[in-house]
Amino acid sequence: MDQSIRLNQRQINKLVLTQGMRQSIQMLQLDAVDLDAYLKDVAESNPFIEVRSHLERAEDSLSSATFEEMSAGSSTENLFDHLLMQVQLSLAGNPLRQIVVYLINQLNNNGYLILEDRQIVDEIGISPEKLTEAIRLLQGLDPPGVGARNLQECLSLQAHRDTGIPKGVIAILDQDFELLVSHDMTRICEKNNLSTTELHNAFDFIKSLSAAPGKVFEQPQPISYIIPDARLSVTNDGQLKLWLTKWGRPELVFAEKTYQDLKKSANSATQQYLKEKHEEYLSLQHGLQRREETLLATVNQIVVNQHAFLLHQAALAPLLLRDVAKALQVNESTVSRTIKGKHLQTDLGIFAFKDFFSKRTQAVSSSAYHSVDQLKFTMMQLIQSENKMCPASDNLLVKWLYEKGFKVARRTVTKYRNELGLPAASARKSKWLK
């Protein structure tokens, strides 16, 4: 028997998120109101940090008409809306997209997939392999843990999405879940070679995971106001001017004099405490700067792509998350976090960042792209200019749209016509002849 020892060298790419990076990611996905609350919450445990917020002056600074327009009331987004928006932005063109949408509609309020795999395969007539891949796509959406079939899988999905986990967590959830349920901590330590401290760290982390990732969307949201994170205006010479608003840019002030005075006479324990609080301040400042840079770069890309709409109220151009991500050389998830809950104030009104993203539709030319919004806009124009004595059928609209550069099926025309609230040709004729 060959018992020789062999050494193999392997190079792998692995991103390990530091606490500062995790904090930066968290700050990026917060809107102006939540960011202000988050910073104030951190400042409560750091006596050297003061948060100077501009939110209190937002109502006074904005005109009453504008502020009234921004009043959004309570949030109505539920788990299913949240997931469908991600599918629309991230899975456009993916052949498994419709299967993922079907799976979303099978989730219960906790975010669990309650149907058995065999039942799904039989009901919609797909292969087990396609179902496995579609479930993988579903489980990759936010919130982490969604699409799980049981509690163990739900917790495991969340742990696998977190790179800064304590030792033993993955093994406990994937291999020793029954021991965890029965609280056999001695056996868990023995199997995973964990010290008492490491076991406590792993157990505390597991307790922090959510057993019902969809529940957060059931909680009633307090009435709040939409505060624009960015402002866009048109100059006298027709140029677009973009900047971040002051309301979404809280200031952090560090008590430098007090900090320096304490450092002079502090013992080693106090010195360590002072160091930690100063590093926390620097980390927050860095996170705020990165947030502003990413936010401005993202909204700038939106403006560049949708300038025709912003200047002339034309139809939205095709724009997907991956388009912005490619332009900024970042991950799609970064763009998704950046646009979440953010708003742009323009001369046309207030728009959510996500409203500027529009799915692509097939064009006659393989080198051209159109958006669904452009297709609907063109369809509306064609119907408005049709012969009122002989309105166009959906088949005729398909032909006209083809001549305009859109390659679309009749059933798609019918679908979008219904979404626009336009009746069929026979109903339009009877209406106009009355």
Side-chain angles (χ1 to χ4, degrees):
M1 180 182 296
D2 184 7
Q3 295 184 341
S4 59
I5 298 177
R6 294 181 176 87
L7 297 177
N8 294 315
Q9 185 175 9
R10 183 175 60 171
Q11 183 176 357
I12 62 173
N13 291 323
K14 184 178 181 181
L15 175 62
V16 178
L17 296 180
T18 65
Q19 178 63 28
M21 294 170 66
R22 291 158 64 91
Q23 185 181 66
S24 182
I25 290 173
Q26 181 177 0
M27 292 168 64
L28 178 62
Q29 62 188 1
L30 299 176
D31 61 21
V33 176
D34 290 338
L35 175 66
D36 186 73
Y38 172 77
L39 292 176
K40 288 180 178 177
D41 184 59
V42 174
E44 285 185 2
S45 61
N46 191 326
F48 299 97
I49 295 179
E50 177 191 353
V51 180
R52 292 181 180 174
S53 171
H54 301 289
L55 293 180
E56 292 82 358
R57 297 192 297 274
E59 185 171 1
D60 297 331
S61 301
L62 295 168
S63 67
S64 58
T66 303
F67 194 77
E68 183 177 338
E69 180 183 14
M70 293 192 301
S71 300
S74 57
S75 172
T76 59
E77 184 182 48
N78 56 36
L79 173 64
F80 306 99
D81 294 335
H82 182 67
L83 293 172
L84 289 174
M85 184 196 76
Q86 296 175 71
V87 170
Q88 179 180 348
L89 296 180
S90 301
L91 299 182
N94 191 306
L96 298 177
R97 178 179 178 274
Q98 289 303 320
I99 302 176
V100 176
V101 172
Y102 168 83
L103 295 176
I104 289 174
N105 283 285
Q106 310 311 313
L107 299 177
N108 63 18
N109 291 336
N110 291 331
Y112 284 80
L113 186 58
I114 56 179
L115 294 183
E116 297 290 338
D117 288 4
R118 173 50 55 189
Q119 185 178 353
I120 298 174
V121 168
D122 293 341
E123 185 168 327
I124 61 177
I126 61 172
S127 67
E129 292 75 19
K130 280 190 175 181
L131 176 59
T132 299
E133 179 61 18
I135 291 177
R136 185 190 67 81
L137 292 173
L138 170 62
Q139 293 177 345
L141 301 177
D142 180 76
V146 72
R149 274 69 64 89
N150 52 56
L151 176 61
Q152 179 182 6
E153 186 177 26
C154 179
L155 300 179
S156 178
L157 287 170
Q158 295 173 63
H160 279 281
R161 291 269 290 272
D162 196 322
T163 57
I165 60 177
K167 177 183 176 182
V169 168
I170 297 296
I172 293 172
L173 292 176
D174 290 353
Q175 303 168 23
D176 302 321
F177 190 71
E178 292 184 2
L179 295 177
L180 178 66
V181 173
S182 61
H183 291 83
D184 192 347
M185 302 305 175
T186 301
R187 183 66 178 141
I188 290 176
C189 285
E190 292 174 353
K191 287 191 64 177
N192 297 283
N193 193 26
L194 298 176
S195 67
T196 302
T197 300
E198 289 170 338
L199 175 65
H200 282 303
N201 290 338
F203 193 59
D204 287 343
F205 178 85
I206 293 173
K207 287 195 297 183
S208 71
L209 302 177
S210 173
K215 276 292 186 182
V216 66
F217 292 90
E218 289 189 347
Q219 298 173 358
Q221 301 293 323
I223 294 178
S224 58
Y225 293 99
I226 294 177
I227 305 297
D229 299 89
R231 178 74 170 92
L232 181 74
S233 66
V234 182
T235 61
N236 294 332
D237 56 354
Q239 299 297 311
L240 293 174
K241 181 181 179 182
L242 175 69
W243 68 94
L244 298 181
T245 65
K246 62 182 179 181
W247 304 296
R249 302 171 68 187
E251 299 177 53
L252 291 180
V253 179
F254 190 75
E256 185 67 31
K257 186 177 185 306
T258 303
Y259 170 76
Q260 293 296 340
D261 290 342
L262 288 174
K263 280 186 66 177
K264 296 176 183 178
S265 58
N267 55 34
S268 59
T270 305
Q271 290 280 4
Q272 180 62 31
Y273 172 82
L274 293 173
K275 178 182 177 183
E276 291 174 358
K277 296 306 176 184
H278 187 249
E279 289 178 349
E280 183 177 49
Y281 162 74
L282 294 177
S283 178
L284 285 174
Q285 278 284 41
H286 177 72
L288 277 177
Q289 182 179 350
R290 287 295 304 274
R291 179 184 184 276
E292 291 185 8
E293 292 172 353
T294 306
L295 189 60
L296 187 58
T298 301
V299 70
N300 183 67
Q301 281 298 314
I302 291 174
V303 171
V304 168
N305 283 275
Q306 303 297 5
H307 65 278
F309 169 80
L310 293 165
L311 281 173
H312 311 297
Q313 300 185 41
L316 290 173
L319 183 63
L320 301 175
L321 285 180
R322 64 171 174 262
D323 299 328
V324 176
K326 182 178 180 181
L328 299 180
Q329 297 184 334
V330 298
N331 194 279
E332 284 186 34
S333 62
T334 300
V335 180
S336 178
R337 292 188 181 98
T338 304
I339 68 173
K340 181 181 179 182
K342 312 298 193 307
H343 292 78
L344 174 66
Q345 183 180 0
T346 73
D347 296 337
L348 303 175
I350 306 294
F351 297 91
F353 282 9
K354 68 178 183 179
D355 292 342
F356 292 102
F357 289 82
S358 182
K359 294 185 295 182
R360 290 174 177 169
T361 186
Q362 194 171 4
V364 174
S365 171
S366 58
S367 61
Y369 293 102
H370 299 299
S371 71
V372 170
D373 195 71
Q374 289 171 330
L375 173 59
K376 289 182 177 180
F377 184 80
T378 304
M379 187 188 305
M380 177 71 79
Q381 287 183 319
L382 291 172
I383 291 176
Q384 288 176 343
S385 61
E386 68 186 354
N387 184 343
K388 303 301 186 288
M389 300 295 294
C390 185
S393 66
D394 289 349
N395 284 325
L396 184 55
L397 285 173
V398 169
K399 179 182 177 181
W400 287 352
L401 287 167
Y402 187 89
E403 294 172 353
K404 295 286 187 179
F406 298 91
K407 188 176 181 181
V408 60
R410 183 200 57 78
R411 63 179 180 274
T412 305
V413 167
T414 303
K415 171 187 172 183
Y416 290 150
R417 177 176 54 73
N418 289 331
E419 289 181 1
L420 290 169
L422 299 172
S426 58
R428 298 201 303 273
K429 180 178 179 180
S430 60
K431 174 184 177 182
W432 285 322
L433 289 179
K434 288 180 180 178

